């Protein structure tokens, strides 16, 4: 099974607001199972095979059908999180070593 990969990054909130205010971006009202509603914006996340400008992925908005030919708003960047955990070896669990660590 392939190990999952986590991404972190930023969304340019100013550009997101500009996109929504333009009226060109797909938005919707989503109703959760408990009946609460929230406003949502449709996005595309592009994962690069080779990082571009030091980024592993980017986020753009989705335009409404009538604006399909216009450029989407570029609103964010993402990078893969590199694990800083050192993998243990069987030697790390030898009985003598374990009791010395306590």
């Amino acid at each position: 099974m392939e190990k999952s990969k986590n991404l972190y990054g930023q969304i340019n909130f100013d550009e997101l607001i500009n996109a929504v205010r333009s009226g060109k971006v797909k938005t919707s009202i989503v109703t959760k199972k408990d009946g609460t509603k929230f406003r949502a914006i449709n996005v595309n996340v592009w994962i690069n095979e080779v990082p571009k400008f030091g980024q592993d992925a980017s986020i753009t908005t989705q335009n409404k059908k009538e604006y399909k030919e216009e450029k989407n708003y570029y609103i964010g960047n993402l990078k893969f999180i590199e694990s800083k955990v050192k993998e243990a070896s069987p030697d790390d669990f030898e009985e003598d070593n374990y009791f010395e660590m306590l």
Side-chain angles (χ1 to χ4, degrees):
M1 185 164 92
E2 186 178 325
K3 185 178 178 183
S4 63
K5 296 180 180 181
N6 294 319
L7 294 160
Y8 74 96
Q10 304 81 30
I11 292 177
N12 181 333
F13 188 70
D14 294 331
E15 190 66 13
L16 177 60
I17 294 298
N18 289 337
V20 172
R21 287 182 178 154
S22 76
K24 298 176 183 178
V25 175
K26 282 186 182 179
T27 57
S28 56
I29 303 294
V30 177
T31 304
K32 295 172 31 177
K33 288 181 182 179
D34 66 4
T36 58
K37 296 180 179 188
F38 65 92
R39 294 177 285 184
I41 182 169
N42 294 23
V43 297
N44 297 318
V45 177
W46 300 96
I47 298 176
N48 304 317
E49 288 185 31
V50 177
K52 293 181 181 178
F53 307 109
Q55 303 298 322
D56 295 306
S58 59
I59 307 168
T60 61
T61 59
Q62 289 183 6
N63 288 346
K64 293 177 182 176
K65 287 180 187 177
E66 59 267 29
Y67 300 103
K68 184 173 96 171
E69 300 303 318
E70 292 190 29
K71 187 175 179 181
N72 295 341
Y73 286 84
Y74 177 83
I75 60 170
N77 295 310
L78 300 166
K79 290 184 179 184
F80 287 114
I81 295 174
E82 301 272 335
S83 176
K84 295 179 181 173
V85 176
K86 178 185 174 246
E87 189 171 328
S89 72
D91 293 339
D92 293 324
F93 293 95
E94 288 181 5
E95 190 172 346
D96 292 339
N97 289 341
Y98 174 74
F99 288 110
E100 287 176 13
M101 292 189 302
L102 294 177

